[in-house]
Amino acid sequence: MTTIKKIGIIGAGQMGSGIAQVCAQAGYDVFLSDISEASLEKSLAGITRNFDRQIQKGKLSEADKTAALGRIVTGTDLSIFGDSDLVIEAATENEALKRDLLKKLVPHLKPEALIATNTSSISITRLAAATDRPAKFMGMHFMNPVPVMQLVELIRGIATDEPTFEAIKELTLAIGKTAAVAEDFPAFIVNRILLPMINEAVYTLYEGVGGVEAIDTALKLGANHPMGPLELADFIGLDTCLAVMQVLYEGLADSKYRPCPLLVKYVEAGWIGKKYGRGFYDYSQTPPVPTR
């Protein structure tokens, strides 16, 4: 079984940054890559803020913060992954983009290196086929925000071998996460259940059954959810929600997964959630107010 000590991460967005943080904090050497130096600087600043919050809560020492940050190396070239034992792809949820990245990654890897993808819905088997090592490839779906959420879905592709699965399962436990094993079906477990619920909440808004605030209040108080489905959609990103629903609709050929036209319209308008300032809520105001 491969011993994982050095971990590469492609993508310094919210997910990639979170994965980098938990891996570095757990003592692993981390190589974080993005196409933009500005994105890498933003990522390191965010990781530093997260560490500072942990220090304020007494969960981390200054020495531990310094050590963890010292284990993170950044770069804009895939060549930084040459010595990685595992590379985790955490790019945008777009299959063509991910396949292209994986093809470009392979020439930079040592022969025994493992590859994982953080996709939340796309076929692991298809993504593995874009590499030269389908047996050493699998899904490792972290939840957002990574430092807080305990679950990681582990998904084998049709060719994934047992040593790869065991090595990545061991890593998952070593970074303090809980593994749930899912089969390679569209959207796996969490999003197979969660995203249709969000899509149905958007239909409920679209059909005028209730307003944004009423729908979110109903689920928070009526089902004891910590966050309403439309607020959660904004947090995830409506573009990501739509992408997952499209994977479900196309992959399972069932009309119950048809993306709500209102969700499509919001994404087309660029109203894709909290990090962009507007979705089902307007985040330019404090507190955010419903847009419908």
Side-chain angles (χ1 to χ4, degrees):
M1 184 173 73
T2 301
T3 300
I4 298 172
K5 293 182 179 179
K6 298 180 179 181
I7 300 171
I9 299 160
I10 303 177
Q14 196 167 20
M15 296 304 293
S17 297
I19 297 167
Q21 178 183 323
V22 298
C23 290
Q25 195 167 346
Y28 292 90
D29 291 329
V30 172
F31 303 93
L32 179 62
S33 172
D34 199 279
I35 57 173
S36 160
E37 282 286 0
S39 296
L40 291 168
E41 289 172 9
K42 182 180 177 181
S43 173
L44 286 176
I47 292 170
T48 301
R49 285 195 301 272
N50 287 342
F51 283 151
D52 287 339
R53 279 193 286 268
Q54 289 186 49
I55 290 170
Q56 290 168 7
K57 294 176 182 178
K59 296 180 178 179
L60 192 72
S61 70
E62 278 286 354
D64 288 339
K65 167 192 164 182
T66 301
L69 288 172
R71 285 190 282 268
I72 302 174
V73 174
T74 63
T76 56
D77 197 299
L78 296 177
S79 62
I80 70 168
F81 299 130
D83 200 30
S84 297
D85 302 308
L86 164 69
V87 176
I88 302 170
E89 173 274 309
T92 303
E93 191 71 354
N94 177 294
E95 183 170 349
L97 172 67
K98 287 179 182 289
R99 288 176 63 89
D100 183 57
L101 262 176
L102 292 167
K103 286 177 182 176
K104 291 176 179 175
L105 169 68
V106 165
H108 299 284
L109 300 181
K110 58 188 181 183
E112 66 272 24
L114 309 181
I115 307 175
T117 174
N118 183 54
T119 180
S120 57
S121 61
I122 300 166
S123 166
I124 304 303
T125 297
R126 285 204 306 271
L127 291 177
T131 76
D132 65 343
R133 61 196 73 195
K136 298 181 182 297
F137 187 101
M138 64 178 284
M140 196 180 188
H141 177 212
F142 289 81
M143 304 296 124
N144 187 29
V146 177
V148 175
M149 301 295 280
Q150 288 300 302
L151 184 71
V152 177
E153 285 183 305
L154 300 182
I155 312 101
R156 295 178 178 91
I158 195 170
T160 306
D161 64 25
E162 194 62 24
T164 297
F165 174 78
E166 289 299 331
I168 291 182
K169 181 180 179 183
E170 186 177 290
L171 169 68
T172 302
L173 301 177
I175 61 175
K177 303 300 184 186
T178 299
V181 180
E183 294 300 318
D184 190 16
F185 285 92
F188 319 128
I189 296 171
V190 173
N191 283 338
R192 172 77 177 264
I193 297 167
L194 178 64
L195 266 297
M197 183 198 75
I198 288 174
N199 194 53
E200 194 63 27
V202 182
Y203 266 115
T204 304
L205 178 66
Y206 179 60
E207 294 168 3
V209 179
V212 169
E213 199 164 20
I215 292 165
D216 279 350
T217 299
L219 267 292
K220 283 192 283 189
L221 301 184
N224 204 29
H225 289 191
M227 189 182 290
L230 300 177
E231 183 185 3
L232 179 58
D234 276 358
F235 180 74
I236 294 169
L238 304 192
D239 52 342
T240 299
C241 293
L242 178 58
V244 174
M245 289 308 303
Q246 287 169 332
V247 167
L248 281 166
Y249 187 45
E250 294 164 10
L252 298 173
D254 191 324
S255 61
K256 73 180 181 180
Y257 298 114
R258 182 172 72 97
C260 178
L262 184 61
L263 178 60
V264 175
K265 188 176 289 187
Y266 269 50
V267 172
E268 288 176 344
W271 299 351
I272 56 179
K274 186 174 182 179
K275 64 182 177 181
Y276 292 94
R278 179 166 181 161
F280 292 112
Y281 290 84
D282 178 358
Y283 296 92
S284 67
Q285 302 186 51
T286 304
V289 297
T291 52
R292 286 174 70 97

